[in-house]
């Protein structure tokens, strides 16, 4: 998740791949989503989106946010507040 941070200097391609991997992980159930949200993924993801330049990065970040929102009642309000 540090790859998504603006302080961590990596190209957008790497950030896009990291988001894809996190999306695959989040798709495996509520426990994984809760763990990712508890570790601060939502704020890191928004930081990444604010700095992102590639359309693919923004598109996959949106999909990840939707995945984190769906079926994750404990952190739904955090995802909504972040948007």
């Amino acid at each position: 998740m540090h790859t998504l941070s603006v302080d961590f200097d990596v190209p957008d391609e790497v950030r896009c791949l990291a988001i894809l991997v996190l999306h695959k992980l989040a798709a495996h159930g509520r426990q994984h989503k809760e763990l990712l949200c508890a570790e601060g993924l939502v704020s890191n993801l928004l930081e990444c989106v604010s700095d992102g330049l590639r359309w693919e990065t923004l598109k996959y970040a949106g999909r990840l946010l939707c995945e984190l929102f769906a079926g994750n009642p404990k952190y739904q309000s955090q995802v909504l507040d972040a948007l």
Side-chain angles (χ1 to χ4, degrees):
M1 287 193 323
H2 294 291
T3 305
L4 301 179
S5 174
V6 176
D7 297 331
F8 198 75
D9 190 27
V10 294
D12 261 5
E13 293 83 13
V14 174
R15 287 183 183 173
C16 187
L17 290 174
I19 290 171
L20 281 172
V21 169
L22 290 169
H23 184 271
K24 296 286 185 189
L25 183 63
H28 284 291
R30 191 177 88 197
Q31 293 172 339
H32 292 90
K33 292 177 190 183
E34 288 180 357
L35 180 64
L36 290 171
C37 289
E39 291 297 319
L41 176 62
V42 175
S43 60
N44 283 346
L45 191 58
L46 290 176
E47 189 178 315
C48 172
V49 167
S50 69
D51 189 49
L53 300 174
R54 292 186 59 208
W55 170 247
E56 291 83 13
T57 305
L58 299 175
K59 179 173 67 173
Y60 292 129
R63 288 181 182 173
L64 178 55
L65 283 171
C66 287
E67 183 67 41
L68 291 173
F69 178 80
N72 187 9
K74 188 174 181 181
Y75 290 96
Q76 279 182 343
S77 61
Q78 180 186 7
V79 174
L80 281 178
D81 291 342
L83 298 175

